[in-house]
Amino acid sequence: MLDDIERILVTREQIARRVAELGQQISRDLNRLRDEDEFVMIPVLTGSIIFVADLMRQIPKKVRISVVTVSSYPGPATSSKGVEIIGGLPDDLADRYILIVDDILDSGSTIQILRKALLDRGARSVRVCVLLRKDIPEAKEVKCEYVGFDIPNEFVVGYGLDYDHYYRNLPDVAVLKKDVMR
Ligand code: IMP
Ligand code: MG
């Protein structure tokens, strides 16, 4: 697996520092909620598993976790083939304060579709936190309250992000060698 890496773009140390900062920022913003307000983190599977595991432990607040599954890259594809919410949204979203957590903002379709679907279900507030955002106009135009890192427009893997279902377990965010990607 390590032989397939061309270069590391964001190291595990940089990620850890930034995740702690994001956690502090989100926690501060949550201070405006009242005790009876319900806060729900909605991680987008599968790419956000590692990020959300780290991020939620930096947010010392009462929170529920409800996952959603979104598919946009079937198989060995490196550009979005259209977004689909699989298995529906969690129940009980009315009046909730929601934080969508995703690995990366690319075309922005995932975030836009999810934010709208959650607001349509009656969520009181929907905010978005992504670890990475690609430096492309489409991504920058999408509303996103919390961004970990802006990165060049390259296909990346690691820290939850996959290529053809592999490499999620790399601790750093990396670019693969050209000959590895079909
Ligand atoms: P969007 O809907 O185009 O913004 O794409 C977002 C989803 O595509 C992310 O949640 C990722 O699962 C996937 N994705 C986008 N760019 C990359 C990448 O560089 N590597 C791995 N997955 C990616
Ligand atoms: Mg994803």
Side-chain angles (χ1 to χ4, degrees):
M1 174 174 85
L2 298 178
D3 294 342
D4 297 343
I5 295 173
E6 166 87 39
R7 68 181 203 284
I8 290 176
L9 216 56
V10 193
T11 67
R12 62 197 79 181
E13 292 83 9
Q14 289 173 311
I15 295 171
R17 274 197 298 276
R18 189 71 186 118
V19 171
E21 287 171 3
L22 287 171
Q24 283 168 16
Q25 192 186 346
I26 292 165
S27 303
R28 266 199 313 275
D29 293 348
L30 287 169
N31 284 337
R32 77 196 158 91
L33 297 195
R34 296 159 303 171
D35 284 347
E36 62 271 29
D37 291 335
E38 286 274 5
F39 171 49
V40 185
M41 281 170 83
I42 301 198
V44 184
L45 296 182
T46 305
S48 71
I49 52 173
I50 300 178
F51 180 38
V52 77
D54 285 344
L55 182 67
M56 72 167 100
R57 286 177 291 172
Q58 301 289 337
I59 302 176
K61 298 279 178 189
K62 201 173 162 212
V63 60
R64 298 190 198 192
I65 311 292
S66 283
V67 300
V68 292
T69 301
V70 169
S71 172
S72 58
Y73 282 29
T78 54
S79 66
S80 183
K81 299 281 180 284
V83 176
E84 198 188 343
I85 300 174
I86 296 165
L89 291 172
D91 296 326
D92 283 357
L93 295 171
D95 294 329
R96 303 284 197 260
Y97 290 77
I98 291 171
L99 181 69
I100 299 172
V101 180
D102 205 359
D103 50 3
I104 189 164
L105 188 55
D106 184 13
S107 74
S109 318
T110 305
I111 292 309
Q112 280 175 311
I113 283 170
L114 265 182
R115 194 196 283 269
K116 180 169 187 312
L118 294 167
L119 287 169
D120 287 349
R121 284 291 196 89
R124 178 74 55 88
S125 141
V126 179
R127 293 189 172 193
V128 176
C129 178
V130 296
L131 178 73
L132 307 170
R133 177 171 65 185
K134 288 197 186 167
D135 190 6
I136 53 173
E138 303 93 284
K140 294 270 173 89
E141 276 156 23
V142 174
K143 184 174 165 194
C144 184
E145 286 78 6
Y146 309 100
V147 178
F149 300 92
D150 281 304
I151 59 164
N153 185 19
E154 289 191 79
F155 193 82
V156 293
V157 297
Y159 197 72
L161 293 113
D162 73 307
Y163 170 65
D164 199 13
H165 307 294
Y166 291 103
Y167 307 104
R168 293 194 197 276
N169 54 325
L170 279 174
D172 312 290
V173 170
V175 178
L176 291 174
K177 288 178 181 159
K178 291 280 169 295
D179 57 315
V180 176
M181 303 212 280
R182 280 174 279 159

